[in-house]
Amino acid sequence: MFKPTALRAMQPTRMMFMRQSAPMYMRQTARMMKPVPKEEQSAHGVSQRLRQLKKIPAELIPLGTFPPLVAVFAAVFSLGRKLVVDKTLRLKRQSGN
């Protein structure tokens, strides 16, 4: 009679069914045919940057202007309110010191 362990030793292992991967070769990258383009923002003057604003769609301009204006108004309002309402705030030097 055969032992089950002896039969198992005769079966091919999983390692035998695995195929080898292709060898990896080290090679240089292909040479670039044209020079690397310059960045759009490099060495631009103020007038050139203002011309870039024409590319912004008109619908987006209120989104870029309204929130900062609201933030500036809120800051000025809260500062003005603090100066008027807060009685413990010293606005002048104390005399006699």
Side-chain angles (χ1 to χ4, degrees), residues 6 8 41 48 50-51 53 69 76:
R8 182 165 236 196
Q41 300 297 325
Q48 289 173 329
L50 289 176
R51 274 187 253 137
L53 291 176
L69 289 176
V76 169

Side-chain angles (χ1 to χ4, degrees), residues 41-76:
Q41 300 297 325
S42 63
H44 274 211
V46 174
S47 61
Q48 289 173 329
R49 288 186 189 270
L50 289 176
R51 274 187 253 137
Q52 296 279 334
L53 291 176
K54 291 181 182 176
K55 294 181 181 179
I56 298 174
E59 300 87 24
L60 296 180
I61 291 175
L63 289 175
T65 57
F66 187 68
L69 289 176
V70 170
V72 168
F73 174 75
V76 169

Side-chain angles (χ1 to χ4, degrees), residues 5 9 11 15 21 30 41 49-50 57 82 88 91-92 96-97:
T5 54
Q11 291 178 352
M15 292 297 286
S21 61
Q41 300 297 325
R49 288 186 189 270
L50 289 176
K82 180 76 169 177
T88 62
L91 297 176
K92 299 176 187 169
N97 281 343

Side-chain angles (χ1 to χ4, degrees), residues 15-44:
M15 292 297 286
M16 294 177 84
F17 291 116
M18 291 178 65
R19 59 188 186 121
Q20 270 187 334
S21 61
M24 298 192 56
Y25 296 105
M26 299 292 282
R27 59 182 171 156
Q28 288 181 335
T29 57
R31 207 171 209 199
M32 296 182 83
M33 298 305 283
K34 49 189 164 186
V36 177
K38 285 187 176 181
E39 292 183 22
E40 284 186 30
Q41 300 297 325
S42 63
H44 274 211

